[in-house]
Amino acid sequence: MNVFIMVMRLILQIFIAIWNCVVSGINAIIRLVNKKSIERNNSINRGVVEDRKAQVDAIYLNGCMHNSIVSGGDQSLRSSLLQNAIENYSRQRMPIIIIHQSDRQIENYLSSNISDSVVINSINSIFDPFINRSTDEIIKIIMDSKKEYGFTEKTRSALKGILKFANLNSTPIQLPFLNNCPYSSLFDRIDMLAENETISSNVADDIKYHLSRGQEDFDKLEAYFFDLLSEGNGITSRKKGVGYDAIKAVTNGRIVSIDIGSNANHLLLSVIVSQIDMLLKNREYFTLVLDDITIENNPSLIQLISGIYDNCHIAILSSDLFASVNGNDKLMYTLLGNSCENIVMQHGSNISADAWSKAIGYYEKIETSTNSSYGKSRGGLSLFPTYNSNEGINYSVKQDAIVKPEQILRMQLNEMYVYDKKSNSLSHKTILY
């Protein structure tokens, strides 16, 4: 009898063991399904379309058709993306102003592919911001630098006198002429013209009136024109009557690239920005491209690109946008908020990668943790111990970065995250060459 009971207990224990294995298997499958479900929900909440492969010539096609930002990666890839945008936009026959520092890839592309484009650089030095500009336009461009040079209303009066004097002989108002202005002998020259009856005494008195009012600011103007010519020395026209600038390019409906040489040339850049401001106020339609141009420490440029315009698109391509704005979070978020397309590539700076990660944003990530307890007991006539276990799954929700800083740091050179405001989508792309 005892043997029979023991056999039955043994059979029962075997069935229990099998049942426990089946239950454990089912629980494992449920845990796996739950894990996959949580991962899928997290992926949906994160909102990134992963691993989309694309040809390089299919990216950033609309970069010049709306406000856009490209940050990170290498210069060659950024220039290739800019070529895509220029080629697509040029079909609309709309003007583009490209400000860069020695981007030869873009210059070669324009020269080879856009027949009516104008490339201004040290080889084709035809830049002049004053030629064919009106007196008021010239004075505005110069007076826009009043803070840096301490210009006052006296400066404005001096400029009026100088420009009136230049116009007596129909002399083209160009930067080299203004830099070589004979300040010390202006009054004598005007008197001589009056004595020779080349001009009337009234005209002479009018010119001298303006000059005398601003005479004490002659040294400021000398410093201004000297600095401007020094910064633009490589691209400034030296030929009388020959000159080209941003205003002429836009009014002629052309694409112009201006090589400012170095981001240290703040005055040269400010002069171009002043011309762009005039174009905006004149309701001209165009796209402005800043190709690796540093934004920090240039108030006029910051003010320009912080605005939203219905007649101008602004495309910013930078090796590191956060560094370019000198770590100014507010300015960076303003630019991103104004932009319709943002492309983020590899960054070498931990600080910039962290800034971009924060700018891209966060999502609610579901996390799980398991609590387990195990035990065993032996009783009655059982030949085997009885095992028991208790498992519990805890769920929690936390804010996690959509794109972590380390992901930005470790991207390959052919990887990028592309945000499209219109579709409110973020894609992780691998570029095929």
mmCIF file of all heavy atoms in Angstrom, residues 216-254:
data_model
loop_
_atom_site.group_PDB
_atom_site.id
_atom_site.type_symbol
_atom_site.label_atom_id
_atom_site.label_comp_id
_atom_site.label_asym_id
_atom_site.label_seq_id
_atom_site.Cartn_x
_atom_site.Cartn_y
_atom_site.Cartn_z
ATOM 1 N N GLU A 216 35.160 116.885 -37.357
ATOM 2 C CA GLU A 216 35.840 116.207 -36.250
ATOM 3 C C GLU A 216 35.673 114.679 -36.302
ATOM 4 O O GLU A 216 36.327 113.958 -35.540
ATOM 5 C CB GLU A 216 35.335 116.736 -34.908
ATOM 6 C CG GLU A 216 33.859 116.489 -34.639
ATOM 7 C CD GLU A 216 33.423 117.127 -33.327
ATOM 8 O OE1 GLU A 216 33.333 118.370 -33.255
ATOM 9 O OE2 GLU A 216 33.191 116.357 -32.371
ATOM 10 N N ASP A 217 34.808 114.205 -37.192
ATOM 11 C CA ASP A 217 34.642 112.755 -37.340
ATOM 12 C C ASP A 217 35.366 112.204 -38.564
ATOM 13 O O ASP A 217 35.200 111.031 -38.914
ATOM 14 C CB ASP A 217 33.154 112.403 -37.449
ATOM 15 C CG ASP A 217 32.461 112.352 -36.089
ATOM 16 O OD1 ASP A 217 33.125 112.666 -35.086
ATOM 17 O OD2 ASP A 217 31.267 112.001 -36.036
ATOM 18 N N PHE A 218 36.186 113.029 -39.201
ATOM 19 C CA PHE A 218 36.953 112.556 -40.358
ATOM 20 C C PHE A 218 37.814 111.355 -39.994
ATOM 21 O O PHE A 218 37.935 110.400 -40.773
ATOM 22 C CB PHE A 218 37.844 113.678 -40.905
ATOM 23 C CG PHE A 218 37.114 114.679 -41.765
ATOM 24 C CD1 PHE A 218 37.791 115.778 -42.302
ATOM 25 C CD2 PHE A 218 35.769 114.545 -42.048
ATOM 26 C CE1 PHE A 218 37.138 116.698 -43.097
ATOM 27 C CE2 PHE A 218 35.099 115.471 -42.835
ATOM 28 C CZ PHE A 218 35.790 116.548 -43.362
ATOM 29 N N ASP A 219 38.423 111.382 -38.816
ATOM 30 C CA ASP A 219 39.319 110.289 -38.424
ATOM 31 C C ASP A 219 38.556 108.975 -38.250
ATOM 32 O O ASP A 219 39.078 107.888 -38.534
ATOM 33 C CB ASP A 219 40.075 110.640 -37.143
ATOM 34 C CG ASP A 219 39.133 110.956 -35.978
ATOM 35 O OD1 ASP A 219 37.982 111.360 -36.229
ATOM 36 O OD2 ASP A 219 39.566 110.802 -34.813
ATOM 37 N N LYS A 220 37.298 109.067 -37.804
ATOM 38 C CA LYS A 220 36.484 107.855 -37.669
ATOM 39 C C LYS A 220 36.184 107.244 -39.038
ATOM 40 O O LYS A 220 36.225 106.026 -39.212
ATOM 41 C CB LYS A 220 35.179 108.173 -36.952
ATOM 42 C CG LYS A 220 35.340 108.661 -35.514
ATOM 43 C CD LYS A 220 33.989 109.033 -34.910
ATOM 44 C CE LYS A 220 34.148 109.605 -33.503
ATOM 45 N NZ LYS A 220 32.840 110.033 -32.935
ATOM 46 N N LEU A 221 35.884 108.113 -39.997
ATOM 47 C CA LEU A 221 35.612 107.627 -41.348
ATOM 48 C C LEU A 221 36.864 107.045 -41.987
ATOM 49 O O LEU A 221 36.800 106.017 -42.683
ATOM 50 C CB LEU A 221 35.058 108.760 -42.217
ATOM 51 C CG LEU A 221 33.626 109.189 -41.897
ATOM 52 C CD1 LEU A 221 33.261 110.447 -42.676
ATOM 53 C CD2 LEU A 221 32.647 108.062 -42.209
ATOM 54 N N GLU A 222 37.992 107.685 -41.753
ATOM 55 C CA GLU A 222 39.255 107.145 -42.274
ATOM 56 C C GLU A 222 39.493 105.742 -41.739
ATOM 57 O O GLU A 222 39.883 104.842 -42.484
ATOM 58 C CB GLU A 222 40.414 108.066 -41.896
ATOM 59 C CG GLU A 222 40.506 109.332 -42.715
ATOM 60 C CD GLU A 222 41.781 110.107 -42.426
ATOM 61 O OE1 GLU A 222 41.807 110.849 -41.428
ATOM 62 O OE2 GLU A 222 42.755 109.958 -43.190
ATOM 63 N N ALA A 223 39.247 105.543 -40.425
ATOM 64 C CA ALA A 223 39.448 104.231 -39.809
ATOM 65 C C ALA A 223 38.469 103.214 -40.389
ATOM 66 O O ALA A 223 38.844 102.065 -40.672
ATOM 67 C CB ALA A 223 39.271 104.333 -38.296
ATOM 68 N N TYR A 224 37.239 103.636 -40.590
ATOM 69 C CA TYR A 224 36.204 102.743 -41.123
ATOM 70 C C TYR A 224 36.575 102.258 -42.522
ATOM 71 O O TYR A 224 36.567 101.041 -42.798
ATOM 72 C CB TYR A 224 34.860 103.469 -41.150
ATOM 73 C CG TYR A 224 33.764 102.713 -41.863
ATOM 74 C CD1 TYR A 224 32.974 101.785 -41.188
ATOM 75 C CD2 TYR A 224 33.513 102.921 -43.227
ATOM 76 C CE1 TYR A 224 31.958 101.092 -41.845
ATOM 77 C CE2 TYR A 224 32.501 102.225 -43.883
ATOM 78 C CZ TYR A 224 31.737 101.317 -43.196
ATOM 79 O OH TYR A 224 30.739 100.632 -43.854
ATOM 80 N N PHE A 225 36.895 103.178 -43.418
ATOM 81 C CA PHE A 225 37.194 102.785 -44.799
ATOM 82 C C PHE A 225 38.487 101.984 -44.880
ATOM 83 O O PHE A 225 38.597 101.053 -45.697
ATOM 84 C CB PHE A 225 37.271 104.019 -45.696
ATOM 85 C CG PHE A 225 35.956 104.711 -45.885
ATOM 86 C CD1 PHE A 225 35.804 106.062 -45.591
ATOM 87 C CD2 PHE A 225 34.851 104.013 -46.338
ATOM 88 C CE1 PHE A 225 34.589 106.700 -45.754
ATOM 89 C CE2 PHE A 225 33.622 104.638 -46.504
ATOM 90 C CZ PHE A 225 33.495 105.982 -46.207
ATOM 91 N N PHE A 226 39.448 102.311 -44.036
ATOM 92 C CA PHE A 226 40.702 101.543 -44.012
ATOM 93 C C PHE A 226 40.435 100.110 -43.574
ATOM 94 O O PHE A 226 40.924 99.152 -44.187
ATOM 95 C CB PHE A 226 41.713 102.198 -43.074
ATOM 96 C CG PHE A 226 42.999 101.423 -42.927
ATOM 97 C CD1 PHE A 226 43.996 101.531 -43.883
ATOM 98 C CD2 PHE A 226 43.198 100.567 -41.847
ATOM 99 C CE1 PHE A 226 45.182 100.808 -43.766
ATOM 100 C CE2 PHE A 226 44.368 99.838 -41.721
ATOM 101 C CZ PHE A 226 45.367 99.969 -42.685
ATOM 102 N N ASP A 227 39.646 99.945 -42.509
ATOM 103 C CA ASP A 227 39.339 98.598 -42.001
ATOM 104 C C ASP A 227 38.529 97.803 -43.022
ATOM 105 O O ASP A 227 38.786 96.611 -43.235
ATOM 106 C CB ASP A 227 38.561 98.691 -40.687
ATOM 107 C CG ASP A 227 39.409 99.211 -39.537
ATOM 108 O OD1 ASP A 227 40.646 99.246 -39.687
ATOM 109 O OD2 ASP A 227 38.833 99.586 -38.496
ATOM 110 N N LEU A 228 37.565 98.455 -43.640
ATOM 111 C CA LEU A 228 36.721 97.752 -44.609
ATOM 112 C C LEU A 228 37.533 97.301 -45.820
ATOM 113 O O LEU A 228 37.382 96.167 -46.291
ATOM 114 C CB LEU A 228 35.567 98.653 -45.055
ATOM 115 C CG LEU A 228 34.575 98.042 -46.063
ATOM 116 C CD1 LEU A 228 33.997 96.732 -45.535
ATOM 117 C CD2 LEU A 228 33.462 99.029 -46.375
ATOM 118 N N LEU A 229 38.405 98.151 -46.294
ATOM 119 C CA LEU A 229 39.234 97.773 -47.433
ATOM 120 C C LEU A 229 40.219 96.678 -47.044
ATOM 121 O O LEU A 229 40.509 95.776 -47.840
ATOM 122 C CB LEU A 229 39.985 98.996 -47.969
ATOM 123 C CG LEU A 229 40.744 98.777 -49.293
ATOM 124 C CD1 LEU A 229 39.781 98.370 -50.409
ATOM 125 C CD2 LEU A 229 41.504 100.037 -49.692
ATOM 126 N N SER A 230 40.721 96.719 -45.814
ATOM 127 C CA SER A 230 41.647 95.683 -45.351
ATOM 128 C C SER A 230 40.953 94.326 -45.278
ATOM 129 O O SER A 230 41.506 93.308 -45.718
ATOM 130 C CB SER A 230 42.211 96.052 -43.967
ATOM 131 O OG SER A 230 42.966 97.236 -44.036
ATOM 132 N N GLU A 231 39.745 94.300 -44.742
ATOM 133 C CA GLU A 231 39.022 93.034 -44.626
ATOM 134 C C GLU A 231 38.583 92.506 -45.984
ATOM 135 O O GLU A 231 38.562 91.296 -46.212
ATOM 136 C CB GLU A 231 37.804 93.220 -43.709
ATOM 137 C CG GLU A 231 38.174 93.460 -42.256
ATOM 138 C CD GLU A 231 36.965 93.466 -41.331
ATOM 139 O OE1 GLU A 231 35.851 93.121 -41.808
ATOM 140 O OE2 GLU A 231 37.130 93.784 -40.148
ATOM 141 N N GLY A 232 38.211 93.411 -46.868
ATOM 142 C CA GLY A 232 37.770 92.982 -48.186
ATOM 143 C C GLY A 232 38.833 93.096 -49.249
ATOM 144 O O GLY A 232 38.515 93.089 -50.453
ATOM 145 N N ASN A 233 40.069 93.173 -48.831
ATOM 146 C CA ASN A 233 41.168 93.432 -49.764
ATOM 147 C C ASN A 233 41.232 92.418 -50.902
ATOM 148 O O ASN A 233 41.489 92.762 -52.053
ATOM 149 C CB ASN A 233 42.502 93.432 -49.008
ATOM 150 C CG ASN A 233 43.662 93.810 -49.896
ATOM 151 O OD1 ASN A 233 43.627 94.826 -50.581
ATOM 152 N ND2 ASN A 233 44.708 93.001 -49.872
ATOM 153 N N GLY A 234 40.959 91.144 -50.575
ATOM 154 C CA GLY A 234 41.088 90.109 -51.599
ATOM 155 C C GLY A 234 39.980 90.104 -52.624
ATOM 156 O O GLY A 234 40.147 89.552 -53.715
ATOM 157 N N ILE A 235 38.831 90.720 -52.305
ATOM 158 C CA ILE A 235 37.684 90.634 -53.224
ATOM 159 C C ILE A 235 37.225 91.997 -53.731
ATOM 160 O O ILE A 235 36.333 92.070 -54.588
ATOM 161 C CB ILE A 235 36.489 89.929 -52.550
ATOM 162 C CG1 ILE A 235 35.985 90.719 -51.342
ATOM 163 C CG2 ILE A 235 36.864 88.504 -52.151
ATOM 164 C CD1 ILE A 235 34.705 90.164 -50.737
ATOM 165 N N THR A 236 37.814 93.075 -53.234
ATOM 166 C CA THR A 236 37.366 94.423 -53.608
ATOM 167 C C THR A 236 37.854 94.812 -55.002
ATOM 168 O O THR A 236 39.019 94.610 -55.354
ATOM 169 C CB THR A 236 37.871 95.463 -52.593
ATOM 170 O OG1 THR A 236 37.340 95.136 -51.304
ATOM 171 C CG2 THR A 236 37.415 96.866 -52.973
ATOM 172 N N SER A 237 36.952 95.380 -55.774
ATOM 173 C CA SER A 237 37.294 95.823 -57.129
ATOM 174 C C SER A 237 38.252 97.012 -57.090
ATOM 175 O O SER A 237 38.071 97.952 -56.318
ATOM 176 C CB SER A 237 36.024 96.235 -57.872
ATOM 177 O OG SER A 237 36.345 96.814 -59.116
ATOM 178 N N ARG A 238 39.286 96.964 -57.927
ATOM 179 C CA ARG A 238 40.245 98.066 -58.035
ATOM 180 C C ARG A 238 40.061 98.813 -59.353
ATOM 181 O O ARG A 238 40.771 99.789 -59.613
ATOM 182 C CB ARG A 238 41.682 97.528 -57.962
ATOM 183 C CG ARG A 238 41.977 96.736 -56.692
ATOM 184 C CD ARG A 238 42.061 97.610 -55.477
ATOM 185 N NE ARG A 238 42.317 96.847 -54.262
ATOM 186 C CZ ARG A 238 42.653 97.380 -53.097
ATOM 187 N NH1 ARG A 238 42.750 98.689 -52.993
ATOM 188 N NH2 ARG A 238 42.853 96.619 -52.044
ATOM 189 N N LYS A 239 39.110 98.345 -60.153
ATOM 190 C CA LYS A 239 38.893 98.982 -61.453
ATOM 191 C C LYS A 239 37.813 100.048 -61.345
ATOM 192 O O LYS A 239 36.734 99.813 -60.791
ATOM 193 C CB LYS A 239 38.489 97.927 -62.485
ATOM 194 C CG LYS A 239 39.568 96.889 -62.752
ATOM 195 C CD LYS A 239 39.086 95.866 -63.772
ATOM 196 C CE LYS A 239 40.157 94.813 -64.043
ATOM 197 N NZ LYS A 239 39.691 93.799 -65.029
ATOM 198 N N LYS A 240 38.095 101.182 -61.887
ATOM 199 C CA LYS A 240 37.155 102.296 -61.840
ATOM 200 C C LYS A 240 35.889 101.951 -62.617
ATOM 201 O O LYS A 240 35.933 101.523 -63.762
ATOM 202 C CB LYS A 240 37.804 103.552 -62.429
ATOM 203 C CG LYS A 240 36.974 104.817 -62.268
ATOM 204 C CD LYS A 240 37.739 106.024 -62.756
ATOM 205 C CE LYS A 240 36.930 107.302 -62.597
ATOM 206 N NZ LYS A 240 37.674 108.507 -63.067
ATOM 207 N N GLY A 241 34.761 102.122 -61.943
ATOM 208 C CA GLY A 241 33.474 101.871 -62.581
ATOM 209 C C GLY A 241 33.054 100.418 -62.602
ATOM 210 O O GLY A 241 31.992 100.091 -63.128
ATOM 211 N N VAL A 242 33.877 99.531 -62.047
ATOM 212 C CA VAL A 242 33.561 98.097 -62.020
ATOM 213 C C VAL A 242 33.289 97.674 -60.589
ATOM 214 O O VAL A 242 34.108 97.906 -59.695
ATOM 215 C CB VAL A 242 34.715 97.250 -62.593
ATOM 216 C CG1 VAL A 242 34.400 95.758 -62.455
ATOM 217 C CG2 VAL A 242 34.977 97.618 -64.047
ATOM 218 N N GLY A 243 32.133 97.074 -60.362
ATOM 219 C CA GLY A 243 31.795 96.618 -59.019
ATOM 220 C C GLY A 243 30.516 95.813 -59.011
ATOM 221 O O GLY A 243 29.645 96.005 -59.862
ATOM 222 N N TYR A 244 30.416 94.899 -58.074
ATOM 223 C CA TYR A 244 29.245 94.039 -57.966
ATOM 224 C C TYR A 244 28.979 93.804 -56.488
ATOM 225 O O TYR A 244 29.900 93.738 -55.671
ATOM 226 C CB TYR A 244 29.487 92.706 -58.674
ATOM 227 C CG TYR A 244 28.232 92.044 -59.178
ATOM 228 C CD1 TYR A 244 27.730 92.331 -60.438
ATOM 229 C CD2 TYR A 244 27.528 91.140 -58.379
ATOM 230 C CE1 TYR A 244 26.565 91.732 -60.912
ATOM 231 C CE2 TYR A 244 26.374 90.526 -58.844
ATOM 232 C CZ TYR A 244 25.894 90.828 -60.111
ATOM 233 O OH TYR A 244 24.738 90.236 -60.565
ATOM 234 N N ASP A 245 27.691 93.668 -56.138
ATOM 235 C CA ASP A 245 27.348 93.448 -54.741
ATOM 236 C C ASP A 245 26.059 92.644 -54.628
ATOM 237 O O ASP A 245 25.479 92.221 -55.634
ATOM 238 C CB ASP A 245 27.228 94.779 -53.988
ATOM 239 C CG ASP A 245 26.153 95.703 -54.573
ATOM 240 O OD1 ASP A 245 25.425 95.261 -55.491
ATOM 241 O OD2 ASP A 245 26.051 96.856 -54.118
ATOM 242 N N ALA A 246 25.614 92.432 -53.397
ATOM 243 C CA ALA A 246 24.414 91.625 -53.154
ATOM 244 C C ALA A 246 23.172 92.272 -53.747
ATOM 245 O O ALA A 246 22.299 91.581 -54.288
ATOM 246 C CB ALA A 246 24.246 91.418 -51.647
ATOM 247 N N ILE A 247 23.082 93.587 -53.654
ATOM 248 C CA ILE A 247 21.896 94.280 -54.163
ATOM 249 C C ILE A 247 21.770 94.099 -55.673
ATOM 250 O O ILE A 247 20.684 93.792 -56.191
ATOM 251 C CB ILE A 247 21.949 95.779 -53.800
ATOM 252 C CG1 ILE A 247 21.859 95.954 -52.273
ATOM 253 C CG2 ILE A 247 20.833 96.549 -54.487
ATOM 254 C CD1 ILE A 247 21.987 97.383 -51.804
ATOM 255 N N LYS A 248 22.869 94.258 -56.386
ATOM 256 C CA LYS A 248 22.835 94.115 -57.839
ATOM 257 C C LYS A 248 22.473 92.693 -58.237
ATOM 258 O O LYS A 248 21.715 92.474 -59.203
ATOM 259 C CB LYS A 248 24.186 94.507 -58.438
ATOM 260 C CG LYS A 248 24.179 94.568 -59.966
ATOM 261 C CD LYS A 248 25.476 95.145 -60.502
ATOM 262 C CE LYS A 248 25.437 95.270 -62.020
ATOM 263 N NZ LYS A 248 26.690 95.852 -62.563
ATOM 264 N N ALA A 249 22.990 91.721 -57.497
ATOM 265 C CA ALA A 249 22.695 90.319 -57.817
ATOM 266 C C ALA A 249 21.206 90.030 -57.690
ATOM 267 O O ALA A 249 20.599 89.407 -58.569
ATOM 268 C CB ALA A 249 23.491 89.403 -56.890
ATOM 269 N N VAL A 250 20.606 90.481 -56.614
ATOM 270 C CA VAL A 250 19.191 90.205 -56.376
ATOM 271 C C VAL A 250 18.309 90.937 -57.377
ATOM 272 O O VAL A 250 17.367 90.357 -57.936
ATOM 273 C CB VAL A 250 18.801 90.565 -54.930
ATOM 274 C CG1 VAL A 250 17.286 90.492 -54.740
ATOM 275 C CG2 VAL A 250 19.491 89.624 -53.951
ATOM 276 N N THR A 251 18.599 92.208 -57.619
ATOM 277 C CA THR A 251 17.778 92.968 -58.575
ATOM 278 C C THR A 251 17.896 92.417 -59.988
ATOM 279 O O THR A 251 16.979 92.572 -60.803
ATOM 280 C CB THR A 251 18.168 94.458 -58.559
ATOM 281 O OG1 THR A 251 19.582 94.586 -58.786
ATOM 282 C CG2 THR A 251 17.821 95.092 -57.227
ATOM 283 N N ASN A 252 19.022 91.737 -60.280
ATOM 284 C CA ASN A 252 19.193 91.106 -61.594
ATOM 285 C C ASN A 252 18.730 89.648 -61.604
ATOM 286 O O ASN A 252 18.849 88.958 -62.627
ATOM 287 C CB ASN A 252 20.662 91.167 -62.024
ATOM 288 C CG ASN A 252 21.097 92.570 -62.378
ATOM 289 O OD1 ASN A 252 20.271 93.454 -62.588
ATOM 290 N ND2 ASN A 252 22.406 92.796 -62.440
ATOM 291 N N GLY A 253 18.236 89.166 -60.457
ATOM 292 C CA GLY A 253 17.737 87.800 -60.380
ATOM 293 C C GLY A 253 18.807 86.740 -60.511
ATOM 294 O O GLY A 253 18.562 85.670 -61.058
ATOM 295 N N ARG A 254 19.997 87.006 -59.965
ATOM 296 C CA ARG A 254 21.109 86.071 -60.144
ATOM 297 C C ARG A 254 21.551 85.456 -58.815
ATOM 298 O O ARG A 254 21.172 85.915 -57.731
ATOM 299 C CB ARG A 254 22.285 86.787 -60.821
ATOM 300 C CG ARG A 254 21.886 87.390 -62.156
ATOM 301 C CD ARG A 254 22.985 88.197 -62.787
ATOM 302 N NE ARG A 254 24.005 87.361 -63.401
ATOM 303 C CZ ARG A 254 25.033 87.834 -64.111
ATOM 304 N NH1 ARG A 254 25.161 89.150 -64.287
ATOM 305 N NH2 ARG A 254 25.912 87.028 -64.651
#
